[in-house]
Amino acid sequence: MLKAPDHQVAGHKADGGNLGPLVDDSGRFYKPLQGNERGSNEVSFYSSFSSDTKVPDHIARFFPKFHGTQLVEASNGSGKQPHLVLEDVTFGRVNPSVMDIKIGSRTWAPQSPQDYIHKCFEKDRTTSSLRLGFRLSGIQIFQSKESGIWKPEKRSSIQSLAADEVKLYLKKFVSSDASTPDSAFASIVYGGSAGILSQLLELKSWFEDQTKYHFYSSSILMMFEKESALDGKRSPRPEIKVIDFAHVFEGEGVIDHNFLGGLSSLIKFLSEILTFPDGCETTIEDGETTSS
Amino acid sequence: MLKAPDHQVAGHKADGGNLGPLVDDSGRFYKPLQGNERGSNEVSFYSSFSSDTKVPDHIARFFPKFHGTQLVEASNGSGKQPHLVLEDVTFGRVNPSVMDIKIGSRTWAPQSPQDYIHKCFEKDRTTSSLRLGFRLSGIQIFQSKESGIWKPEKRSSIQSLAADEVKLYLKKFVSSDASTPDSAFASIVYGGSAGILSQLLELKSWFEDQTKYHFYSSSILMMFEKESALDGKRSPRPEIKVIDFAHVFEGEGVIDHNFLGGLSSLIKFLSEILTFPDGCETTIEDGETTSS
């Protein structure tokens, strides 16, 4: 039995007759294959990457597992359509807080068509990407059993933030209450040997070395469970995943300096929050809180 | 007594009536102030950076020392003109091999004027910058007392190389004879605790942290003395310097992910040469050899 995923914070959604991803109850995520070359590009990437013996296990774990492609009943009732079958990266998580961060100051490859480059160039310039090396692309923050999950009213509102606003969202994400960011859980979510910063640094080491894949317009998902952080009995299970590979290109002997630069910028933001959890704040706009 | 520098491999030159830099016999380099905001921008950078107590000494040594500005007789006989007075970074070196590498896949700042962005964007795209994260901008290689110093016939020919061609130049640079690249001096020039790779890694650590300066269109100079490498009695004195600051902007709390990405890409090239000094070669075009 397939249904729309509960914790999708960015990308195409299965609603209003739109074709969107589906999940099953065994931990698989069905992503509709885009009809153009993006779909085949993403299949190619997963096929190549999942069988690439040079990718060490401690890096492969940051990528969704790949289970081939399959014809399944589409979310919009248009009959059986080809889907990528992937690991559902939020499977088994209760009320996860999730952030989707599109990495790179540039979301287009040098070899992309001119009109596509132009479109992306303008978007990168009018969002945070060009200046920060990444942009927030989606976010949901679990508040509490009573107040549920917080999401921004408009997803587009978080894409064009300045550096201090992005930092505030990154604090909000690990605060006991998003309305007064105290970064209470920064040390157990971002920090520590199993924390998000440590995972990002591991990923960064790989990007300093690998010259096979260039990732344009891919995202890093950051996840954890605030309820566990609040009750203090279980680990909040901080985890990162790299997702969205419709624009991966052959690296041709050069490192992915665009992804690496953006990743290093994100790492600096998190390092600063861990070093100065009570640094200066600015206010951010109101969002919408929905019951979970 | 001022004269044109012997070892300038890129930038404006003092010849044919053009205004160019000058050096004296005490180790100072006189760079004509460009009349537009680039000149004042570079003065601002040197003033700010040279008095910035947050820049540690082991990083400041990678930048030319600044001795203010001064009116000196211009190289083209146009009378006294304002010049930046800087450290002559090749002072005291005999027949140095020098490479000028412009760092960054993007040589323009987001806040630059539209027409300037467009001009740089096209240049970055048609040279190595966009793909490699840097481009070769100038080179001279000392061959031997007999055959003198090798320079490419056209400086522009080295700006648009593919990855394998750039790697070949980086090998040629540290070879006993540039015509058959054996990377003979890779380990004593690029490698070792005082070698160029080690210096670049120190610089990289600073770029992972500093959020004050964004360097667009700046270069890294790599230098060493092959005669010392050949006779084996003295150190070839491998050294890097960061130069050209007409396009430095305030970092506004974000790391310089563009420079860092390009620097990391260059580091990967040198690491590969050190790991596989005899890796596959391609041939490169003939250059011009002049007696030194």
Side-chain angles (χ1 to χ4, degrees), chain B residues 80-91:
Chain B
K80 292 218 169 188
Q81 302 282 350
H83 286 66
L84 276 164
V85 188
L86 305 170
E87 173 189 1
D88 176 3
V89 296
T90 63
F91 185 72

Side-chain angles (χ1 to χ4, degrees), chain B residues 219-236:
Chain B
S219 287
I220 289 179
L221 272 190
M222 309 197 305
M223 296 170 281
F224 76 102
E225 286 155 70
K226 198 195 271 180
E227 278 179 290
S228 304
L230 285 166
D231 76 16
K233 288 185 189 142
R234 291 156 297 163
S235 161

Side-chain angles (χ1 to χ4, degrees), chain B residues 18 45 64 72 116 163 172 235 282:
Chain B
N18 291 322
F45 167 74
V72 303
Y116 182 77
K172 233 177 112 109
S235 161
T282 58

Side-chain angles (χ1 to χ4, degrees), chain A residues 12-47:
Chain A
H12 300 290
K13 285 202 174 178
D15 57 16
N18 290 322
L19 196 55
L22 298 163
V23 292
D24 67 15
D25 55 9
S26 76
R28 293 194 171 191
F29 183 91
Y30 300 80
K31 183 174 180 177
L33 270 181
Q34 297 180 68
N36 47 26
E37 80 284 355
R38 294 180 200 181
S40 54
N41 219 359
E42 191 154 24
V43 174
S44 300
F45 167 74
Y46 272 113
S47 307

Side-chain angles (χ1 to χ4, degrees), chain A residues 54-81:
Chain A
K54 285 190 179 165
V55 178
D57 289 347
H58 72 276
I59 295 302
R61 72 184 168 119
F62 296 136
F63 292 76
K65 281 188 195 62
F66 175 56
H67 305 287
T69 60
Q70 197 177 312
L71 282 172
V72 304
E73 199 66 42
S75 64
N76 62 355
S78 61
K80 292 217 171 190
Q81 303 282 351

Side-chain angles (χ1 to χ4, degrees), chain A residues 124-139:
Chain A
D124 296 342
R125 205 155 69 134
T126 52
T127 60
S128 318
S129 297
L130 184 59
R131 286 173 188 259
L132 271 53
F134 63 85
R135 65 175 178 250
L136 303 192
S137 185
I139 186 169

Side-chain angles (χ1 to χ4, degrees), chain A residues 204 208-209 257 268, chain B residues 131 204 208-209 257 268:
Chain A
K204 173 169 167 272
E208 286 172 335
D209 189 54
H257 43 86
K268 172 66 179 174
Chain B
R131 286 172 188 259
K204 172 168 168 272
E208 287 172 335
D209 189 53
H257 44 86
K268 172 66 177 173

